[in-house]
């Protein structure tokens, strides 16, 4: 079955530590995204990538970094510079516009819950 | 004013009721409208995806878009306890060339037996 796999499901971070959240998709989508979800708030975009080896900052990129070395993978690193990292992190993918399609909806993984130790 | 407004609820209804969930928006460039269902501790699942104005039906779910009023709705007929979840609206368009969707905060729905 095609889908998006996020791991781990739960993650704990110590002070001063960087942690990396994994996101893998087998939907053959070019575009991938990272969102942060806090209670009572909508999804806030951290980073997105339309193509391998290219990515753009979203609305709240400070304290986060990403890489896109493979089409299937888009890992997110939460650095020690992110002072309030406790949240639910969601990875999504979609067909990128410009491939003969209209805007296509995103498909989501089941998230990683990050907490501070 | 936020670009997309959605009442967070919770909305509590008895089993079998017709549920109406709504979002309003301010950006007239939005053309693509989506509804997602999110269960606790899970990722959002795409329920409905529509383009421009009109209605779309899929089983017990009907999505309506009124671009003149900048108002979208999701109706759930014969609601079931398994429909209890948070429902997120999302929309995207050509505003500034961006295809990235803007999400509402989500409405929490509780269907009690």
């Amino acid at each position: 079955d095609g889908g998006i796999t996020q791991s781990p499901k739960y993650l704990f971070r110590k002070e001063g530590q960087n942690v990396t959240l994994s996101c893998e998709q087998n939907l053959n989508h070019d575009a991938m995204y990272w969102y942060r979800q806090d209670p009572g708030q909508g999804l806030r975009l951290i980073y997105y990538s339309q193509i391998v080896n290219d990515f753009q900052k979203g609305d709240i990129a400070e304290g986060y970094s990403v890489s896109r070395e493979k089409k299937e993978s888009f890992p997110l690193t939460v650095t020690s510079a992110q002072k309030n990292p406790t949240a639910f992190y969601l990875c999504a993918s979609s067909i990128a516009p410009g491939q003969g399609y209209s805007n296509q909806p995103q498909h989501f993984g089941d998230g990683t819950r990050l907490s501070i130790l | 004013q936020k670009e997309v407004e959605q009442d967070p609820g919770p909305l509590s209804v008895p089993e079998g009721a017709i549920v109406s969930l709504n979002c309003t928006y301010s950006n007239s460039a939005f053309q693509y409208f989506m509804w997602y269902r999110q269960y606790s501790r899970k990722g959002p699942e795409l329920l409905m995806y529509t383009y421009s104005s009109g209605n779309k039906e899929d089983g017990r779910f009907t999505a309506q878009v009124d671009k003149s009023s900048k108002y979208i709705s999701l109706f759930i007929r014969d609601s079931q306890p398994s429909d209890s979840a948070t429902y997120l609206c999302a929309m995207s368009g050509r505003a500034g060339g961006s295809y990235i969707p803007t999400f509402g905060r989500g409405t929490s729905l509780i269907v009690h037996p």
Side-chain angles (χ1 to χ4, degrees):
Chain A
D1 271 343
I4 300 172
T5 301
Q6 289 188 243
S7 62
K9 206 169 177 62
Y10 300 96
L11 188 57
F12 297 91
R13 196 192 87 169
K14 295 180 183 177
E15 289 287 337
Q17 186 182 40
N18 293 352
V19 291
T20 297
L21 284 60
S22 169
C23 178
E24 303 276 333
Q25 55 99 359
N26 60 5
L27 298 167
N28 199 32
H29 287 167
D30 280 304
M32 296 187 74
Y33 316 78
W34 274 105
Y35 290 93
R36 171 179 171 140
Q37 187 175 36
D38 294 281
Q41 297 200 33
L43 302 182
R44 292 187 289 169
L45 183 66
I46 304 173
Y47 269 98
Y48 65 102
S49 167
Q50 275 190 262
I51 198 166
V52 173
N53 292 324
D54 188 44
F55 47 82
Q56 286 77 42
K57 292 182 179 180
D59 301 320
I60 56 164
E62 188 174 345
Y64 300 97
S65 66
V66 293
S67 63
R68 188 84 187 277
E69 296 176 3
K70 296 188 301 181
K71 184 176 181 177
E72 302 79 18
S73 179
F74 192 39
L76 173 75
T77 297
V78 184
T79 74
S80 56
Q82 172 50 247
K83 297 307 178 191
N84 183 24
T86 297
F88 191 47
Y89 290 87
L90 288 161
C91 178
S93 71
S94 72
I95 296 170
Q99 293 178 319
Y101 296 92
S102 55
N103 286 8
Q104 291 294 304
Q106 296 172 336
H107 299 267
F108 286 84
D110 271 342
T112 292
R113 187 164 301 277
L114 176 61
S115 303
I116 294 288
L117 272 180
Chain B
Q1 182 192 10
K2 282 180 177 276
E3 263 194 309
V4 177
E5 298 278 3
Q6 185 175 14
D7 187 331
L11 177 63
S12 182
V13 302
E15 184 175 354
I18 296 175
V19 174
S20 172
L21 303 165
N22 311 294
C23 288
T24 59
Y25 62 95
S26 57
N27 189 338
S28 57
F30 287 144
Q31 300 178 63
Y32 302 90
F33 304 92
M34 292 142 280
W35 285 97
Y36 288 86
R37 177 176 62 196
Q38 186 177 21
Y39 292 115
S40 182
R41 304 184 202 284
K42 292 285 195 180
E45 169 195 8
L46 181 67
L47 278 180
M48 301 289 275
Y49 170 58
T50 56
Y51 170 70
S52 195
S53 284
N55 292 3
K56 183 175 182 179
E57 189 173 318
D58 184 0
R60 295 185 296 112
F61 299 91
T62 299
Q64 271 187 4
V65 175
D66 182 349
K67 290 188 72 179
S68 61
S69 303
K70 297 190 180 66
Y71 189 88
I72 69 170
S73 301
L74 177 71
F75 297 96
I76 307 174
R77 289 183 298 280
D78 187 24
S79 56
Q80 303 295 310
S82 59
D83 294 326
S84 299
T86 296
Y87 290 80
L88 299 160
C89 65
M91 43 200 82
S92 67
R94 300 291 180 195
S98 174
Y99 63 92
I100 307 292
T102 300
F103 286 83
R105 288 194 299 164
T107 298
S108 175
L109 172 66
I110 301 167
V111 181
H112 51 85

